[in-house]
Amino acid sequence: MNRLLGVLAVGLSVLPAAARAQDRLQYTVGLMASQQIVQSRVEPTSNRLSGPVLGVEGALISDRLTVRVRYGEGHVQPREGPDNVARDVVEGEALVGYRALPWLTLWGGPSARAYTIGDNNQRWLIWTARATGRGTLVPGRMQSFVELWGAFTGSVGDPALQAGGRGFNGGLEVRLAQSTPLWSRLSYKMESTHATGLRETVESLTLSLIYGLPQ
Amino acid sequence: MNRLLAAALTICALLALAPAIARAQTATALLDQGVRAYTVREYDGGVWLLRRALATEGANALGATDAARALMYLTATEVARNQRDSALAAARRLVVLDARYRPDPRLFPPDVLAIYQEARRAAPTVSIRALGDTAIKPGTESFIVRLGATASPEVVANVTTADGRVLRTLYQGSFRDSIDVRWNGLDGSGNAPPDGRYAIIVAPSARERRTGAEAWSLRLPLEVARPAVDTMPLPPAPPDSLLRPERGDMSGAMHALIPGVVAGAAIMLLPEAVSSADHASNARWIVGGTVAVAGVAAFLSHHPGQRIPGNTEYNRNLKENWRRNVAEISRRNADRVRGTKLIIRPGAPALMTGDTP
């Protein structure tokens, strides 16, 4: 949790300064609260865990290029299965995006997810390529989005195993008031990563509060 | 022959010197020279000088008294040149200019006086005279012309346009001696006429004509001008960009519907594609359904194809305000135009009789 607060503090202090440094840059910062369902399969066993994850996000946006970072921490409890061990979850991503069309942004960058299971750690590092499509429902007030991604390389564990995966994220962003740049986002995310003998499928129902223009 | 040669030489000399003379001499000086030419029997040069004096316009033009004197000497000079018709025409102009003019029998021979009397008998008994260039404020001030008469004729005095259309009747009835007829610068509807050429035409009334009186009319040409007035431009009509759509926009509605429905469907269906092996939770239905419903709500908010009374009212108010502004500025401009003076420049009166071609 200390790391989460540290990232939040750094994000809030660095992003506005960076945005001021270049007038054409815009920035967003936000808080996320997710309920995650993790289905973890280690052949031949399977566990289903769920729990909250809190996180922060931020983005720097220029005319064409966007840099987006997200970081979250949480704790998931087992709901069924023989292995009744809870896990701490840390996840994050750092992506660079290119706005190819007004409604389409293409992304690339790493996405990481780590579990602490007792004294053991399991780290997934996936290099992803993504595409985000946005549509305006009410100009300046409401928009929808869908993001698809696929892994082009990745690794898990130590020694590292080759890993892959794919996923999507979609939802709705609503401006809370016309006079303020505060937005809320309701999103649903599903990611599936796999390696030899391993499969992790993570569902997230996330509610976010974002300052600035959502990207 | 010698006389003819002298006259020719005189005319040549006058023609050669004419521009310089015209520039250097006023109409009064020309009149004096014409009178002198008559007295020394230089009739051809005298005619030229007198006509030149009478043709002078503007600030140097002859006054009414001098004009009458010039016409009388022109009559006498033409009689001396045996140009009887020209003499009669000059005498008629004199009668029109001042019906009460009486030539001095000590200055003119009997045959000249006889021509003048003939012109008086043939001409109407009415004369017309304007004071000169006049600036009036339409509606409140008046341009005055004086009608003179030796009898008590019944006449009609109208202001007419250049094509003869009656703009306003100034006077109708009989009068004795003289009467001042006033024009306040407005037409029959109370509006100031545009700049241009007009005329005051005096003619016998219909009743007078039925009694068998000779047909005649006096025409006083007028040039009406108005100085440029600084008026405010009218505001342009509100552009379409300011108007709100009065009917729901189907295209805009579809643009709102499609992203919502597509994103909602994707959220509900994609979990199967991402991980068919694992069972997705009901959260996708909640989020997907919410997005789809938001898209439908956005679609309906455009009121596709329906009238939007609020926008219709807004547009009506916008146009009404614009019309009110236009009317108000037009009224102010009209007030300013009305407040400016109308400049009326009378020309030389002309008589038209039944035998006028």
Side-chain angles (χ1 to χ4, degrees), chain B residues 66-151:
Chain B
D66 283 343
R69 183 168 171 245
L71 285 169
M72 191 61 228
Y73 272 95
L74 183 60
T75 303
T77 307
E78 295 288 17
V79 168
R81 293 172 70 222
N82 290 323
Q83 300 292 325
R84 189 175 187 283
D85 289 345
S86 298
L88 198 56
R92 278 180 178 165
R93 285 178 65 188
L94 174 54
V95 173
V96 168
L97 181 67
D98 186 357
R100 291 178 294 171
Y101 182 84
R102 296 291 180 271
D104 188 344
R106 292 170 299 175
L107 296 178
F108 301 103
D111 52 346
V112 173
L113 299 177
I115 287 286
Y116 179 74
Q117 291 302 330
E118 183 182 341
R120 279 198 69 198
R121 282 193 298 275
T125 57
V126 178
S127 64
I128 187 168
R129 189 159 56 168
L131 295 178
D133 292 1
T134 308
I136 63 166
K137 193 177 284 186
T140 56
E141 298 172 347
S142 293
F143 171 72
I144 301 171
V145 293
R146 174 160 293 182
L147 302 182
T150 53

Side-chain angles (χ1 to χ4, degrees), chain B residues 181-216:
Chain B
V181 172
R182 296 166 188 274
W183 181 38
N184 65 358
L186 303 178
D187 62 13
S189 307
N191 298 315
D195 296 358
R197 295 184 180 278
Y198 299 87
I200 293 178
I201 293 182
V202 182
S205 69
R207 198 168 66 180
E208 185 92 354
R209 284 198 301 273
R210 279 197 297 273
T211 62
E214 187 182 357
W216 58 268

Side-chain angles (χ1 to χ4, degrees), chain B residues 153-275:
Chain B
E154 186 170 313
V155 298
V156 177
N158 291 321
V159 179
T160 66
T161 58
D163 57 2
R165 186 170 55 85
V166 173
L167 208 62
R168 183 165 190 169
T169 297
L170 302 180
Y171 181 79
Q172 185 163 12
S174 60
F175 64 95
R176 180 178 293 277
D177 198 21
S178 68
I179 188 172
D180 284 347
V181 172
R182 296 166 188 274
W183 181 38
N184 65 358
L186 303 178
D187 62 13
S189 307
N191 298 315
D195 296 358
R197 295 184 180 278
Y198 299 87
I200 293 178
I201 293 182
V202 182
S205 69
R207 198 168 66 180
E208 185 92 354
R209 284 198 301 273
R210 279 197 297 273
T211 62
E214 187 182 357
W216 58 268
S217 66
L218 280 175
R219 185 174 187 278
L220 177 68
L222 303 176
E223 187 179 330
V224 173
R226 193 192 312 269
V229 182
D230 186 19
T231 54
M232 291 167 60
L234 296 178
D240 290 345
S241 60
L242 287 183
L243 300 176
R244 293 177 178 172
E246 296 186 3
R247 281 188 178 277
D249 173 25
M250 180 60 81
S251 170
M254 293 305 291
H255 276 93
L257 176 68
I258 290 171
V261 171
V262 169
I267 292 165
M268 289 186 274
L269 299 176
L270 280 176
E272 299 297 331
V274 170
S275 179

